[in-house]
Amino acid sequence: MVMSNSRDRYFDIVSAWSCAGVGTSLIIQHAHDIKTRLAFDLGCTPNFADAIPASHVIISHSHLDHIGAVFNHARAHRLACGGSVPTYYVPSASVPKLKRAQLAMSCLDNHHHYEGFEGESSLEGGSRSESSLIQMNIVGMEPGDEVELRFGRKKGGCRDRLFLRA
């Protein structure tokens, strides 16, 4: 659920696409700051290009039709958005698996093999994938967790606050 603390602010739907078992993605942007985008799920969908500027991605669950494009998104966002690293809010149980998959995708993308890839130690250090374009801030969330996101600029320089509740 997404809630805003300001009644005069809202989000517009940029695009939405869903086909059961194939892909789901919903992209929204702040109505008064078009640079502020959020993505809900990132399956391999035709609206992927709309998701690239999203700096925050909320993943409902880890089926491929909901996460199939997250690594491509991380890479594309980094290239298109000045090197910034997007944040992915995911179910906590998915965090270790996503980190292992991130390392595997980084290895494929960089066209070289990281020594010790099969071992857990290579997943924790992170130093081997720092040169990768597939950089991600992965935040695990449990049911009931709440995260505050800040977006846009209001008059007087104050930022809007948005609360994401799992």
Side-chain angles (χ1 to χ4, degrees):
M1 175 185 290
V2 177
M3 301 177 296
S4 176
N5 70 324
S6 177
R7 292 180 191 263
D8 62 336
R9 296 286 198 198
Y10 58 95
F11 286 84
D12 294 326
I13 295 174
V14 174
S15 65
W17 195 91
S18 184
C19 181
V22 175
T24 296
S25 187
L26 169 67
I27 316 303
I28 62 173
Q29 74 183 19
H30 194 281
H32 304 288
D33 180 6
I34 62 170
K35 293 181 181 180
T36 301
R37 284 199 181 178
L38 290 171
F40 292 88
D41 290 334
L42 280 177
C44 294
T45 60
N47 64 339
F48 176 77
D50 293 335
I52 293 171
S55 57
H56 297 279
V57 178
I58 296 96
I59 301 296
S60 63
H61 61 284
S62 297
H63 292 167
L64 281 179
D65 56 325
H66 294 261
I67 66 162
V70 294
F71 304 111
N72 195 29
H73 175 265
R75 187 180 195 284
H77 182 86
R78 191 126 187 252
L79 288 170
C81 299
S84 68
V85 178
T87 301
Y88 300 85
Y89 300 92
V90 304
S92 292
S94 301
V95 172
K97 294 173 187 171
L98 281 172
K99 287 186 177 183
R100 283 194 297 272
Q102 176 189 4
L103 180 59
M105 295 304 283
S106 293
C107 290
L108 288 169
D109 193 46
N110 288 336
H111 301 291
H112 40 125
H113 177 74
Y114 293 112
E115 185 177 329
F117 169 70
E118 298 297 329
E120 285 294 317
S121 61
S122 65
L123 300 176
E124 299 303 322
S127 62
R128 295 182 192 137
S129 64
E130 287 176 5
S131 64
S132 172
L133 288 172
I134 303 173
Q135 296 293 313
M136 307 167 73
N137 296 317
I138 301 173
V139 177
M141 295 188 71
E142 295 288 338
D145 285 355
E146 187 172 276
V147 173
E148 180 182 345
L149 308 175
R150 293 181 179 263
F151 291 106
R153 289 280 176 201
K154 289 173 71 173
K155 292 179 183 174
C158 297
R159 294 177 69 90
D160 283 340
R161 296 180 344 175
L162 176 77
F163 295 94
L164 169 66
R165 185 173 300 145

